[in-house]
Amino acid sequence: MSLIDSFLARRRIAYFSMEIALRPEMHTYSGGLGVLAGDTARSCADLELPMVFLTLASRDGYLRQEIDSDGRQVDHADPWDLADWATPLDAMVAVRIEGRAVWVRPWLHVLTCPVGHAIPVLLLDTRLDHNEPADRAITDRLYGGDEAYRLKQEIVLGVGGMRILHALGFDIEMYHLNEGHAALLPVALLREHPHPRFC
């Protein structure tokens, strides 16, 4: 039995968010949107709601700021070790970006509430040997890069996230988009289902 199998039977709602504040050591959030998603995940665990959460791995975090010797604000990456807080799962899917296949692998972080109930959080990662060097960095930096980089992240989150759920065996009935970062998810769902449900 794999790590994810125990979560498959009851998960009926998938929550997609570009960022989720899970713990301070996991630099997968930048501010209010991530805090909202993290609080929602913790509440869902408390209430034993049948949910699974999806976000990007964001190995380089959002940013760390400092003031240099000239008094200017300088932004740096804020890396963290994904393997310290999540477990890679034996599934991969591909999405098409710029005419080529970009492979996406999920990592599982189990968010457990004080009374023992747990919620699965899937962190989507493109840092894989199967990918071109530039594509490996798509999920590295939260909100990093230019508009093209952001669009690639949204393809991975929306389209890749849906395919990951299918590949892992989730039977999702309802999808929640935390703001518009997963807006390509409805497009992908409309190609597969005539009447998807969104909230």
Side-chain angles (χ1 to χ4, degrees):
M1 181 169 164
S2 71
L3 287 173
I4 199 69
D5 287 347
S6 62
F7 293 110
L8 294 179
R10 288 195 63 249
R11 306 299 140 176
R12 295 291 177 261
I13 304 168
Y15 186 111
F16 287 67
S17 184
M18 187 68 83
E19 52 174 296
I20 301 179
L22 297 167
R23 21 180 339 122
E25 301 91 345
M26 299 174 67
H27 305 164
T28 54
Y29 63 101
S30 68
L33 181 71
V35 171
L36 169 64
D39 287 348
T40 301
R42 281 180 280 277
S43 295
C44 291
D46 289 342
L47 297 170
E48 292 188 275
L49 296 182
M51 295 182 69
V52 54
F53 286 72
L54 293 93
T55 190
L56 301 184
S58 299
R59 292 169 177 267
D60 287 337
Y62 176 51
L63 58 83
R64 179 175 53 83
Q65 297 175 322
E66 67 177 17
I67 304 299
D68 68 13
S69 59
D70 295 322
R72 293 174 298 197
Q73 179 177 295
V74 181
D75 296 341
H76 301 283
D78 194 17
W80 62 289
D81 193 341
L82 181 59
D84 285 346
W85 301 103
T87 303
L89 297 177
D90 292 329
M92 283 196 303
V93 300
V95 295
R96 300 295 294 180
I97 297 178
E98 296 177 339
R100 62 187 176 272
V102 175
W103 290 92
V104 183
R105 183 180 194 179
W107 292 64
L108 174 65
H109 173 77
V110 178
L111 179 64
T112 305
C113 76
V115 294
H117 307 314
I119 287 286
V121 180
L122 301 176
L123 298 104
L124 307 180
D125 186 23
T126 59
R127 187 153 288 285
L128 300 166
D129 292 341
H130 303 72
N131 290 330
E132 297 292 327
D135 295 333
R136 295 173 194 171
I138 291 174
T139 56
D140 279 357
R141 186 79 179 264
L142 180 60
Y143 303 134
D146 56 15
E147 291 181 358
Y149 182 83
R150 286 285 300 279
L151 180 58
K152 293 174 185 179
Q153 289 188 324
E154 293 176 4
I155 293 169
V156 169
L157 179 61
V159 181
M162 181 200 72
R163 292 179 181 173
I164 284 291
L165 289 171
H166 291 344
L168 291 172
F170 284 96
D171 183 17
I172 300 300
E173 298 174 357
M174 186 173 293
Y175 298 83
H176 176 88
L177 283 64
N178 194 18
E179 291 199 356
H181 304 296
L184 293 172
L185 167 64
V187 177
L189 286 169
L190 284 169
R191 296 181 69 178
E192 295 193 4
H193 307 284
H195 304 290
R197 295 164 56 193
F198 302 97
C199 65

